[in-house]
Amino acid sequence: MLLIAGIVVSLPAHAHVKWFSMMANCATTPITTLDIVSSPLFVGLAFAAFAAMFAVAAIDGRISRGDNPAVRSAAWVDHEAANLIAPLLRIGVAIYFVSIVIYFYESPIILTAELKTNAAWVPALQLAIAATVLARRSAILAAVGIVVLFAYSVSRYGVFHMLDYPFFLGVAAFLGIDSIYGQKRQIQGLGILRVTVGVSLLWCGVEKWLYPNWTLELLQTDLRVLLATGVSPKLIVMGAGFVEFCLAFVLIFGRLASQIAAAVLLAVMISAIPLVGTLDLIGHLPILVVLIILAATRNPIGRIAPEPGQRWHNLDAAFSFIVSVPGFIAAYYLSHEIVYGSFGKVNWTEVLVAGVLLALLLVWIVRTAPETFRQVYRLNPTTA
C-alpha cells in the first residue's frame, strides 16, 4: 500500500502542470507562506521529509566514504561516461529543437509548450540551434541561441514565469563551456547543469504547494486514473511537491545519492509519459537527457562536502533541508508579490514571515555557497 501511494504521489510531480492546465496563470494569487507552513498536512509531510532526508544524508555519507563496490562502480561509470556526456547532450538538444519545430508547426513555441509565439524567426533560430549544436566547435553558437530564446521568453512572459526553467541556461552554459574548453572544464559545466536542473525542480515543487489547483485539474483530466486508487487528491498534490523537492535537493547536494536521485527522477518522468502523452515526452526531452547524464556522473558539489564529525555533518545536511523548504516557499511568494502584487494591498504580516524565512535561506547560502563553488572550480578531470 505504501509503495502504491508513493508511485501515485510521484507521478504528478513530474508532469509539468503549466503545459496542461487551463487555469495555470502566474498572475493569480498563490496561497500565502503562512497558510502553507501552518497547514497540518504540510507540517506532517514536512516532518516525514525531514526524517527521510536525515536518513539519506547518513546513509549517503557512510556509503560514499571509503572503498566499496558502490563507490567503485560509480567511479567506473563516471570515467567511462566522460567522453559521451557532451555528444549525448548535443544530440539531445538537436533532437529537441527539431521536434518542437515539427510538433508545434501550426502553433510555434519558444522553449516550452506554454510559451507561444507568432514570430517567424523563432522556428528558424530553433533549427539553427539544432544544426550548430551537433559539432563541439560550433555548439557555442547554439548556446547563444538558447540564451536568446530564453531572453525572448522573459520579455514576453516575464521573469517570474521563467523561474521554472533555469535549466535551459544551464544547458547553454554547459554547451558553451564544452565548446571552448572541452573536457578541461567538464566538471564545472556539469556542476552548473546539476544546480540549474535542481533549482528548476525545487521551484516546480514549491509551485505545487502554492498553486495546488493547477495539479488538481491535471489529476481530474490527464491523470484521473490515479484518483481510482483512493488516495486523497490533496495528499497526492502536497506529496508530489515534497517528492519533487526532496529529489531535487538530493540531486544538488548528495554524493552517491545524487546519482540515485537522478535515476529516480528519470524513471518517474518516463513512467508519466504513457499517462500524459507525446507532449510530455517532447517537452521533457532535454531534462531527460540531462538526468541520464547526471545519473552517470558523480556530483562535484557533494564530493567536496566536509568529512565527519559524521553526526554533525548529517545534522548540518538535515538543517540545510529544513531551511530550504520554507525558504524556497518564501522566495516564491515574495517573488510573485514583487512582480505581480500591489504593495498597497499587501498583508505585511505575510511579507514579514516570508522575509524572515527567506533571510534564513540566504544566510545559509552565503555561509556555504562561495567556498563550495571555489572548490568545485579547482577540480579537474585528473584530480576528480
Side-chain angles (χ1 to χ4, degrees):
M1 182 60 187
L2 288 175
L3 178 60
I4 293 173
I7 295 172
V8 167
V9 163
S10 63
L11 283 176
H14 305 293
H16 199 79
V17 293
K18 284 181 180 174
W19 303 346
F20 304 97
S21 174
M22 299 299 293
M23 66 173 62
N25 181 358
C26 290
T28 57
T29 304
I31 296 174
T32 65
T33 304
L34 188 57
D35 285 341
I36 282 292
V37 298
S38 62
S39 161
L41 178 59
F42 181 88
V43 171
L45 289 173
F47 273 110
F50 297 156
M53 294 301 288
F54 182 84
V56 167
I59 296 169
D60 189 34
R62 182 175 295 274
I63 293 177
S64 300
R65 204 167 12 261
D67 186 25
N68 58 66
V71 171
R72 288 195 297 271
S73 297
W76 180 82
V77 172
D78 182 81
H79 180 267
E80 293 299 313
N83 294 325
L84 303 175
I85 292 167
L88 176 61
L89 184 61
R90 293 200 303 269
I91 291 170
V93 169
I95 293 173
Y96 177 68
F97 280 105
V98 170
S99 297
I100 63 174
V101 169
I102 295 171
Y103 189 81
F104 296 100
Y105 176 77
E106 296 181 353
S107 181
I109 64 171
I110 307 172
L111 283 170
T112 59
E114 85 281 14
L115 304 175
K116 305 292 185 182
T117 181
N118 292 320
W121 62 268
V122 169
L125 178 57
Q126 290 166 344
L127 291 176
I129 290 171
T132 55
V133 79
L134 290 173
R136 184 174 73 84
R137 292 297 184 185
S138 61
I140 191 169
L141 300 176
V144 172
I146 292 172
V147 173
V148 168
L149 290 178
F150 192 92
Y152 179 55
S153 300
V154 170
S155 72
R156 283 184 58 86
Y157 290 90
V159 173
F160 185 81
H161 189 111
M162 294 305 295
L163 289 175
D164 278 16
Y165 302 117
F167 74 86
F168 279 111
L169 297 179
V171 169
F174 181 92
L175 292 173
I177 291 170
D178 180 69
S179 182
I180 296 171
Y181 298 105
Q183 289 192 23
K184 294 179 182 178
R185 287 295 177 191
Q186 187 176 82
I187 291 175
Q188 288 73 29
L190 285 171
I192 294 171
L193 198 58
R194 187 178 293 274
V195 169
T196 53
V197 169
V199 170
S200 293
L201 295 171
L202 290 171
W203 198 256
C204 290
V206 172
E207 192 171 73
K208 289 177 175 63
W209 297 329
L210 298 189
Y211 286 106
N213 288 337
W214 297 359
T215 307
L216 285 171
E217 180 191 3
L218 187 61
L219 283 174
Q220 293 164 359
T221 53
D222 298 270
L223 296 176
R224 57 185 176 273
V225 65
L226 300 183
L227 297 177
T229 61
V231 180
S232 164
K234 289 185 178 180
L235 174 59
I236 292 175
V237 174
M238 190 78 76
F242 273 104
V243 168
E244 193 159 14
F245 197 97
C246 290
L247 288 172
F249 189 87
V250 175
L251 183 72
I252 298 174
F253 296 106
R255 294 184 175 187
L256 184 61
S258 69
Q259 294 175 255
I260 297 172
V264 172
L265 285 162
L266 180 66
V268 172
M269 286 188 179
I270 291 173
S271 67
I273 291 170
L275 294 175
V276 185
T278 305
L279 175 59
D280 198 51
L281 171 61
I282 294 175
H284 277 133
L285 183 59
I287 203 166
L288 291 175
V289 173
V290 170
L291 287 173
I292 292 172
I293 291 170
L294 298 184
T297 55
R298 294 181 294 171
N299 181 11
I301 297 171
R303 282 154 58 202
I304 57 88
E307 299 292 346
Q310 174 65 20
R311 178 181 300 177
W312 292 108
H313 177 54
N314 291 343
L315 288 173
D316 186 60
F319 177 75
S320 299
F321 180 77
I322 291 170
V323 171
S324 296
V325 171
F328 265 87
I329 292 172
Y332 193 107
Y333 177 75
L334 289 176
S335 299
H336 182 276
E337 289 304 302
I338 291 170
V339 174
Y340 295 107
S342 170
F343 278 100
K345 300 178 182 178
V346 160
N347 183 324
W348 289 102
T349 302
E350 294 285 355
V351 171
L352 179 61
V353 171
V356 170
L357 295 174
L358 179 59
L360 289 173
L361 175 63
L362 293 177
V363 167
W364 171 69
I365 290 173
V366 169
R367 184 177 69 87
T368 59
E371 181 58 26
T372 296
F373 287 104
R374 274 196 296 270
Q375 291 188 54
V376 170
Y377 181 78
R378 295 188 189 111
L379 290 175
N380 63 67
T382 60
T383 60

